[in-house]
Amino acid sequence: MADLFSRITPRETAPAQTGGGGMFGGAAAAALATTRPTGASLFSMAPTSAAAGSGGLFGATASTGGGMFGGTAATATSQPASTGISKSLASAAPLGNGLGNLFGGASNAPTQPAAAGSSLFGNTFGGNAQTSQPTGASLFGGAAPSQPAKSLFTSTVNSNTQAQGNANASVFGTNVLPSQQSLQPPLVQRAYDPNVPAAQPSYFQALLDKGNKRMVEDNSGLPQLQYGLQDIQRKVRNVGQGGPSAGLGRGGSANTRSQYVLAASGVNVGESLRDIESLMDITSTARAQAAAPEVPDYSAMSGVKDFLGEYHRNNFQEMIDSRLQQAQDDFNKMVDEQLHMQPVDWQRYRNRIDVHFGLRKPDENGDEAVDGAAAHAGSFGRSRRSKMHGSSAFGLPDATRSVIGTPGPNGMRQSTFNDVADKLPSEGIRPAPEDRTQRVKQDRYSGKIKDLNVARIQESVYPIMTRFAEVEAEPSNEDTSMLVSAYKALIRITGEDASKENLSEPGVVKERQYAQSYLDESSATKRQGSVRKRIIDGSRKFLEGQFYDQLKATVARSPREANIGGVPTSVAEVKGYVRVRAARKELGPDIEILQEINGDYCWAVIFYMLRAGLYEQAAQYLNENAAAFKQIDRKFIGYLRAYISSPEHRLTPDMQTAISNEYSTRQRLAPENSIDPYRMMCYKIVGRCDLSHRSLDAITNDMMDWMWLQFALAREYDKREELAHEAFGLDDLRLSIKEIGERYFGASSEIANAPTTFFFMQILAGMFEKAVADLYPHNYVSATHFAIALDFYGLLRVSGDLSNDDLLSYTTRQQPQIAFGSLIGLYTRDFRTANATAAVDYLTLLCLNADLTGDIGKAQKELCYQALIEVVLETREFAQLLGDVRSDGQRIKGAVEQRLKLIKLENERDFLKHITLVAARTAEDQSRTTDAALLFHLAEDYDKVIQVVNDAVSVYLTTEIGEQPARLVPLKPRTQQLHGVQPQDERLSSLSLTAIDDPVQLAVSMSGLYKSNDVYVRKIQGDNLEITHRLLTLASARENLEQSRFAEVIDDVTTSNLLPAAAAGNLSAIRARAQAFDQMPAVLARTVGHVMLWTVVACRSQAEKLRRAEFETGFQREAIERCGQTARDVVVFAGLVRYRLPGRVWEMLALAGQEGGGY
């Protein structure tokens, strides 16, 4: 810790090690048996004694160290803590044992030696106490050593004297009182008499008088001041002219202010300065000693073996020391870089921790808003060395935020959208992995997304709304009827037809068909008007079709009351439905005012025909009963015929005026409860009368009836042509639904299934972005797939601001937009680890918006590429996502490559190479050899593949004989393929080349593959393949040694040409090989020590085997001699390479060589 703070200050300073006090009262070291020495840091003063010490300047109870105006007081017994300056002065020790001066040094108790202390102006008294345990406060929090601390202006006085020494030492080391101890009794034994004048005037006389009045008569008093403050100030000024503080005094106002700030923080400036100077001297001395290399003494060595052993140990120790020093220098440089070059905002990091653990909400313009900039700048805690420099054409490698988010543990899934966090229910977002029903639902949706991508690649029709509605219709624990209805409404709006298969068929809704019209910023354009009209008509037709299905179901459940008889035509079904409602008394509160024709309530029948969308049948019903209707209302037949014949259900201006006048006249003049409510409602619908009052009066209805009435009355219009009292369009309808949502569907709503019900209403009104954002906190799975379905047809406005943390935002024209990229990326957190291919299927959908004009389309593509890179690096499913390699070197396409058509790349090869290289470097840094070898091969960096394999074999060879070598982690077999895109047979369904865990086998496979093709060989440096061959030869030697085939071991080592095994005692050849050791590749050099052991052990064992032969021949003697000579040559080579070997290897080598005849 001290070293850390030393780098915050200038480099020349060093942390203080001696004790000192703070400004507001230091700590007193009690002489109790339980006292433990501690040190108070710059930011805290930890108490170290059970005994209460004297008070500080402003009455703070002190426990360790010395105060600003008083030194450390060591008390023999526990005393009550005094408060205030008077109490602090009154607690001074007896004059006979030490002067308790206001500015004096530490005083000593009558029965205990003094603990070393320090004062800002005075000296330190009474050092070298045998039983004292000094504690002090240092500038950097270090515990003070037991030696006395130096004062700011004078040196330590009386440090080696006993407690009964001269007690008259002044603050500047001058004896100002007689040395006789019997002149005055101790001050603690004299009661203070205020009538007796002080011996010396005090500068702060008024302050002292106030303190004197507050003193308690407890046989304690104030010491007499020998110097006033003016005298002391003058002496300090004189002494400071040549002392260590002279530079501070001449440093100007800046230094003066800094001294005041440090003093106000409780820092003893003088003592700290002395400590720093002393430590600087010690540090400079130590550096000078370290700079002078110590020459080892070999005079005591008794032989060559001892000399070589000592020489090796010295060299080895120097190497370790140099490496440790280098690591320390690198760390110091990093800390300096982080603390000095980039200021640390600790408050912001504290806020980030609070936000992470949910202790506070993130601020939109606060801490979280600047996290990206701070991360990009390399603030404290992030090393800039690991950052990818430069921008890329694919993805956003320099981006500071993740597109796909970080997968969290089960039960800890939280939304990262700021605007969603406030709308979450009390139980939060339900984690999908813990809900079996939700997990099954996600799996089914994943299958639909896969089928969608297959259809897009094959350029066939995929009815996405219909397929998603099938998933929502599956049985579940929740009521999803409103979600299914929302999909069906969207089918009506978009005109999707599930019966069509080919894109060439007429009436087929294609991908992104409505994008240009829906995203048109101007609401007055013809394209925007066509989309709005489609929303109104589609929603109305859906509500009419839904009601007609309910009508038929009601009639089927009550055939007796319906009494339709004969052929069940649409007119008969409506009549039956009216009879059923009449039997249930559901036609209204007053059924007597309803008009009848042939036993049927005629206006009710016409109204429900209009409600069910049976316009032609309604006209047919009027024609069949024309005579009766002429007697009741002869004009309505013409109104209805004109209404039905118009494609937009518009009346001519004359008819519009006539029906409006008739409606208003009847409503105004007719007696109360005398008009059939269904007749008035038919007039309102056909003539769009009284648009300010849009409700079903005196008619039993529900929410669906009210919604239908709104869409039946709404009509897209031109503001320049439409009359004000006839203006009611989609915007007015959306405003009404918004008001209803705020009033009835809020967080405290008691309506059953309120979130999905209001979502359905928003979908009908075309409020797609707002609907997705409001549904997300309650059901993020359904909300995500609604967004996908809408975006597929171009009915979703996406956000182009990648730095926005909100799910729903607004454009400059206040148009709502959804953060589609973040929505999809965060959704894959639930399953991308278990099913990476499914995650890729979802992420490719981000490029649906690549057709947008301007920067937003480009930004969506970049977002997709970055998300793909992140999912590849996170899941590490390289073979499955990026591709595989067969035994003949041919590539097997991965999931990303199979979907290149969907992500709209201009240069597919460059993207694959880029994403593969990024993944390969990551795998190499994480020591995943098989992953790195495969990825570098896919990136066509064959030379790097050989380097990775050579490094793995080298590590394998350095494993001790008898121990199990570290195995490689094989890649996961690729078992998933994109169905229908590239069929794969069983032989190619899993890894064939790199699905191994033996580095030697991997090296054999890769080198054999590359040597068989000149295309690979030309891209590989010649030395690397040669190194691979030598490493494989050494691997063969290791295997032969484990199987006790010693002659083969010697042959393999000789073939590898790593050691002078064939030198036959030729010192020139041995020296030449030793000189070439420095140029040896690192992968070979690290194996030399182990290969030496193998060679010597093999020579010794082979010689013993030959000696135990039954018959001795000349060939055996020659072979034994060759083994001994080889062992000796290896030992001589070991001595010439300066023993750059571990100590244990050298000892074993010497022992094995001696036993085998090496010496």
Side-chain angles (χ1 to χ4, degrees):
M1 193 65 181
D3 186 48
L4 177 61
F5 281 99
S6 67
R7 286 187 293 275
I8 300 177
T9 59
R11 301 290 297 182
E12 292 79 5
T13 62
Q17 297 182 0
T18 58
M23 175 181 178
F24 305 109
L32 298 178
T34 60
T35 302
R36 296 182 294 105
T38 60
S41 71
L42 175 62
F43 306 103
S44 64
M45 303 289 287
T48 61
S49 172
S54 60
L57 177 60
F58 298 104
T61 303
S63 56
T64 60
M68 177 178 179
F69 303 114
T72 303
T75 60
T77 60
S78 175
Q79 296 292 340
S82 302
T83 59
I85 184 170
S86 300
K87 295 293 183 180
S88 176
L89 299 175
S91 61
L95 185 60
N97 292 329
L99 177 60
N101 198 311
L102 177 62
F103 304 99
S107 61
N108 303 325
T111 59
Q112 294 293 338
S118 64
S119 170
L120 178 62
F121 301 105
N123 302 325
T124 302
F125 302 101
N128 279 354
Q130 297 179 0
T131 61
S132 63
Q133 297 181 3
T135 61
S138 171
L139 175 61
F140 306 102
S146 60
Q147 68 268 19
K150 296 182 180 181
S151 173
L152 179 61
F153 304 106
T154 60
S155 59
T156 303
V157 181
N158 200 19
S159 60
N160 296 321
T161 61
Q162 299 298 325
Q164 63 272 17
N166 184 10
N168 299 325
S170 173
V171 291
F172 303 112
T174 307
N175 296 334
V176 295
L177 292 177
S179 60
Q180 289 82 1
Q181 299 183 13
S182 61
L183 293 180
Q184 299 181 24
L187 290 176
V188 294
Q189 299 177 8
R190 294 188 295 111
Y192 175 73
D193 186 0
N195 297 323
V196 178
Q200 296 290 342
S202 175
Y203 185 75
F204 294 116
Q205 188 62 43
L207 181 61
L208 292 178
D209 291 341
K210 291 180 181 179
N212 294 339
K213 293 178 182 179
R214 291 195 300 268
M215 290 185 59
V216 181
E217 300 293 339
D218 55 355
N219 294 329
S220 62
L222 287 172
Q224 295 186 0
L225 300 177
Q226 303 302 323
Y227 285 98
L229 291 181
Q230 292 179 344
D231 299 332
I232 295 176
Q233 183 180 5
R234 182 173 61 256
K235 288 185 174 293
V236 168
R237 188 184 304 110
N238 295 335
V239 175
Q241 296 297 328
S245 64
L248 294 177
R250 296 187 295 268
S253 59
N255 291 338
T256 303
R257 287 194 298 270
S258 63
Q259 294 177 36
Y260 287 153
V261 172
L262 291 175
S265 302
V267 179
N268 194 324
V269 181
E271 178 189 349
S272 300
L273 180 61
R274 284 289 187 181
D275 295 340
I276 292 172
E277 290 177 350
S278 62
L279 287 178
M280 289 177 60
D281 296 338
I282 296 175
T283 305
S284 59
T285 303
R287 290 179 178 176
Q289 293 177 357
E294 182 180 357
V295 180
D297 184 12
Y298 299 106
S299 59
M301 301 296 101
S302 59
V304 175
K305 183 177 180 180
D306 293 342
F307 169 78
L308 294 178
E310 183 64 22
Y311 189 73
H312 167 265
R313 284 190 292 271
N314 291 336
N315 291 342
F316 193 68
Q317 186 63 36
E318 289 179 2
M319 180 184 67
I320 293 177
D321 293 341
S322 63
R323 295 297 175 85
L324 291 177
Q325 184 63 35
Q326 182 180 0
Q328 183 179 3
D329 293 342
D330 292 341
F331 176 77
N332 293 341
K333 182 179 179 181
M334 184 271 293
V335 173
D336 289 338
E337 177 184 357
Q338 299 294 343
L339 293 182
H340 290 167
M341 297 180 62
Q342 297 293 338
V344 181
D345 188 356
W346 297 108
Q347 182 62 34
R348 183 171 61 82
Y349 281 97
R350 190 178 297 110
N351 293 339
R352 288 180 58 193
I353 294 174
D354 294 342
V355 171
H356 175 76
F357 289 102
L359 301 179
R360 66 189 296 266
K361 294 182 179 179
D363 298 332
E364 294 182 1
N365 299 322
D367 308 313
E368 297 299 322
V370 296
D371 282 347
H376 183 75
S379 57
F380 183 75
R382 295 183 177 91
S383 175
R384 289 194 294 271
R385 296 184 178 90
S386 60
K387 187 177 299 183
M388 296 177 59
H389 296 285
S391 59
S392 171
F394 306 105
L396 304 173
D398 286 340
T400 56
R401 343 178 9 187
S402 173
V403 178
I404 61 177
T406 303
N410 294 347
M412 293 297 291
R413 188 187 192 280
Q414 295 295 332
S415 173
T416 58
F417 296 113
N418 294 339
D419 56 343
V420 174
D422 298 334
K423 301 178 183 178
L424 291 177
S426 57
E427 65 273 10
I429 292 182
R430 182 179 60 191
E434 293 184 355
D435 191 329
R436 181 181 178 277
T437 305
Q438 194 85 319
R439 188 168 59 251
V440 172
K441 184 177 180 180
Q442 283 187 316
D443 292 340
R444 289 172 178 167
Y445 265 128
S446 177
K448 301 299 182 182
I449 294 296
K450 179 180 178 180
D451 296 340
L452 170 65
N453 286 333
V454 172
R456 294 173 63 199
I457 292 175
Q458 296 177 347
E459 297 183 357
S460 60
V461 178
Y462 187 81
I464 185 172
M465 299 288 185
T466 305
R467 299 294 178 258
F468 283 3
E470 294 173 357
V471 177
E472 291 292 348
E474 293 289 336
S476 63
N477 299 330
E478 298 179 350
D479 182 9
T480 60
S481 59
M482 287 298 176
L483 299 178
V484 176
S485 298
Y487 274 119
K488 292 180 178 179
L490 289 174
I491 292 175
R492 283 282 190 172
I493 292 173
T494 58
E496 181 182 277
D497 189 354
S499 62
K500 300 183 183 299
E501 298 181 355
N502 299 322
L503 293 176
S504 58
E505 296 183 26
V508 172
V509 184
K510 300 179 181 180
E511 176 183 330
R512 306 286 294 174
Q513 178 165 331
Y514 305 109
Q516 293 183 355
S517 300
Y518 180 79
L519 300 178
D520 193 345
E521 292 290 340
S522 178
S523 60
T525 59
K526 185 177 180 180
R527 293 188 305 180
Q528 180 65 238
S530 63
V531 173
R532 297 161 72 89
K533 184 178 182 298
R534 176 176 287 275
I535 292 174
I536 294 175
D537 294 342
S539 299
R540 177 178 54 80
K541 290 179 180 178
F542 164 74
L543 292 173
E544 292 171 349
Q546 185 187 50
F547 175 77
Y548 185 55
D549 293 338
Q550 294 176 358
L551 183 148
K552 291 188 293 184
T554 302
V555 171
R557 287 195 302 266
S558 304
R560 179 176 299 180
E561 289 84 354
N563 192 22
I564 57 176
V567 179
T569 62
S570 300
V571 176
E573 290 175 343
V574 174
K575 289 181 179 180
Y577 178 76
V578 173
R579 297 188 190 106
V580 172
R581 291 183 67 91
R584 298 177 180 177
K585 300 184 181 305
E586 295 178 351
L587 286 180
D590 191 359
I591 198 173
E592 296 179 356
I593 63 176
L594 302 182
Q595 295 179 337
E596 297 183 33
I597 295 179
N598 300 328
D600 296 321
Y601 298 108
C602 56
W603 292 110
V605 171
I606 295 175
F607 170 77
Y608 284 115
M609 284 184 179
L610 297 177
R611 174 69 180 87
L614 304 175
Y615 299 105
E616 297 294 338
Q617 289 78 356
Q620 178 184 350
Y621 177 74
L622 286 177
N623 293 331
E624 293 175 355
N625 301 275
F629 266 100
K630 286 181 179 179
Q631 296 178 1
I632 299 175
D633 191 341
R634 57 184 178 182
K635 292 183 180 181
F636 185 76
I637 299 177
Y639 296 153
L640 184 61
R641 288 175 179 173
Y643 179 81
I644 295 174
S645 60
S646 173
E648 298 181 356
H649 296 306
R650 286 179 178 268
L651 301 179
T652 62
D654 296 339
M655 284 187 175
Q656 183 68 48
T657 303
I659 193 173
S660 298
N661 293 335
E662 188 174 351
Y663 176 85
S664 60
T665 301
R666 290 179 182 274
Q667 190 177 32
R668 184 176 65 255
L669 300 178
E672 187 177 359
N673 296 329
S674 63
I675 302 179
D676 190 337
Y678 288 98
R679 179 180 184 179
M680 298 299 292
M681 192 55 58
C682 289
Y683 267 80
K684 178 183 285 289
I685 296 171
V686 174
R688 297 181 75 243
C689 304
D690 192 12
L691 294 179
S692 61
H693 187 71
R694 302 182 303 275
S695 61
L696 299 168
D697 296 333
I699 296 177
T700 305
N701 61 88
D702 57 7
M703 183 194 73
M704 296 299 181
D705 296 330
W706 182 88
M707 290 290 299
W708 170 80
L709 179 61
Q710 310 308 306
F711 285 100
L713 297 178
R715 184 171 63 194
E716 267 308 299
Y717 59 89
D718 189 349
K719 295 181 180 180
R720 297 170 296 182
E721 300 177 358
E722 195 79 6
L723 299 178
H725 67 279
E726 297 179 0
F728 179 71
L730 186 61
D731 291 335
D732 303 311
L733 176 58
R734 289 173 176 175
L735 183 61
S736 300
I737 292 179
K738 179 181 178 183
E739 294 175 353
I740 291 175
E742 294 174 352
R743 179 179 301 180
Y744 300 106
F745 294 95
S748 59
S749 175
E750 297 180 357
I751 300 176
N753 205 16
T756 55
T757 302
F758 185 57
F759 170 79
F760 168 70
M761 297 174 65
Q762 291 174 312
I763 289 294
L764 290 178
M767 305 166 63
F768 303 133
E769 295 83 6
K770 189 68 168 59
V772 171
D774 289 343
L775 181 64
Y776 187 84
H778 306 279
N779 191 338
Y780 70 94
V781 176
S782 298
T784 301
H785 290 87
F786 266 104
I788 293 173
L790 290 168
D791 194 59
F792 179 76
Y793 287 127
L795 294 175
L796 192 73
R797 184 176 286 103
V798 299
S799 173
D801 186 6
L802 304 183
S803 62
N804 195 348
D805 291 331
D806 293 337
L807 176 60
L808 179 67
S809 57
Y810 294 89
T811 64
T812 55
R813 297 191 177 185
Q814 294 304 307
Q815 296 288 345
Q817 55 185 1
I818 287 291
F820 186 72
S822 301
L823 179 72
I824 300 300
L826 295 178
Y827 175 73
T828 61
R829 292 187 299 185
D830 292 340
F831 55 85
R832 62 172 175 259
T833 302
N835 192 352
T837 303
V840 172
D841 279 323
Y842 276 93
L843 295 176
T844 54
L845 297 176
L846 298 182
C847 279
L848 284 173
N849 303 290
D851 59 348
L852 300 178
T853 59
D855 295 336
I856 185 172
K858 182 179 180 181
Q860 293 297 315
K861 287 196 296 184
E862 295 294 326
L863 201 65
C864 175
Y865 303 154
Q866 180 190 354
L868 290 175
I869 292 176
E870 289 184 7
V871 76
V872 168
L873 296 179
E874 180 185 301
T875 61
R876 302 175 185 173
E877 297 281 357
F878 303 120
Q880 183 175 340
L881 300 182
L882 298 181
D884 195 6
V885 182
R886 296 193 308 184
S887 57
D888 56 357
Q890 295 183 3
R891 291 187 55 174
I892 301 176
K893 290 185 177 181
V896 176
E897 190 172 0
Q898 292 173 357
R899 293 159 178 81
L900 288 179
K901 184 179 180 181
L902 304 179
I903 57 180
K904 299 176 175 58
L905 285 170
E906 297 178 359
N907 194 330
E908 301 176 358
R909 183 178 179 86
D910 288 349
F911 171 73
L912 279 178
K913 189 173 183 180
H914 168 77
I915 188 175
T916 307
L917 282 177
V918 172
R921 296 189 185 102
T922 304
E924 183 185 13
D925 294 340
Q926 297 175 355
S927 300
R928 290 183 280 112
T929 303
T930 52
D931 294 348
L934 171 64
L935 293 172
F936 279 120
H937 179 86
L938 295 177
E940 301 180 359
D941 192 352
Y942 308 120
D943 186 65
K944 189 64 177 180
V945 174
I946 296 299
Q947 294 180 19
V948 171
V949 171
N950 289 345
D951 189 72
V953 176
S954 177
V955 173
Y956 165 82
L957 294 176
T958 56
T959 306
E960 299 295 336
I961 298 296
E963 297 182 3
Q964 181 66 27
R967 313 301 291 182
L968 302 179
V969 179
L971 290 174
K972 298 178 182 179
R974 48 181 297 112
T975 57
Q976 301 182 12
Q977 296 290 337
L978 189 61
H979 178 69
V981 177
Q982 183 182 359
Q984 304 289 340
D985 57 23
E986 186 66 25
R987 182 174 58 89
L988 302 179
S989 62
S990 61
L991 291 174
S992 57
L993 176 63
T994 56
I996 52 181
D997 59 357
D998 187 1
V1000 176
Q1001 182 181 354
L1002 178 64
V1004 172
S1005 301
M1006 299 304 293
S1007 61
L1009 171 65
Y1010 290 160
K1011 289 180 180 179
S1012 62
N1013 195 329
D1014 292 339
V1015 177
Y1016 298 143
V1017 174
R1018 285 195 296 267
K1019 296 182 179 180
I1020 301 174
Q1021 297 181 7
D1023 295 342
N1024 287 333
L1025 285 175
E1026 178 62 25
I1027 292 171
T1028 304
H1029 176 71
R1030 297 173 69 179
L1031 289 173
L1032 291 177
T1033 303
L1034 295 177
S1036 175
R1038 175 192 171 93
E1039 182 181 0
N1040 291 329
L1041 182 63
E1042 291 176 345
Q1043 298 179 5
S1044 300
R1045 296 196 292 264
F1046 305 112
E1048 288 81 352
V1049 173
I1050 300 175
D1051 293 340
D1052 289 336
V1053 173
T1054 303
T1055 304
S1056 67
N1057 202 23
L1058 187 66
L1059 301 179
N1066 188 351
L1067 294 179
S1068 299
I1070 297 175
R1071 290 193 185 96
R1073 187 56 51 82
Q1075 292 175 357
F1077 182 80
D1078 293 336
Q1079 286 75 33
M1080 188 177 298
V1083 292
L1084 291 174
R1086 71 168 63 138
T1087 64
V1088 169
H1090 298 272
V1091 177
M1092 287 180 181
L1093 286 175
W1094 303 347
T1095 306
V1096 174
V1097 170
C1099 291
R1100 181 191 63 186
S1101 301
Q1102 181 66 14
E1104 291 295 332
K1105 179 180 179 180
L1106 293 176
R1107 291 191 185 99
R1108 291 194 300 268
E1110 182 177 1
F1111 301 100
E1112 182 178 358
T1113 63
F1115 174 78
Q1116 292 178 347
R1117 290 193 297 271
E1118 183 179 354
I1120 293 174
E1121 178 61 26
R1122 284 200 304 269
C1123 290
Q1125 184 61 48
T1126 300
R1128 287 190 294 270
D1129 292 342
V1130 170
V1131 172
V1132 172
F1133 173 77
L1136 293 178
V1137 295
R1138 298 182 181 276
Y1139 302 92
R1140 297 178 182 175
L1141 310 171
R1144 187 190 57 79
V1145 173
W1146 168 252
E1147 294 175 0
M1148 295 180 62
L1149 184 62
L1151 179 62
Q1154 185 175 8
E1155 293 178 355
Y1159 296 121

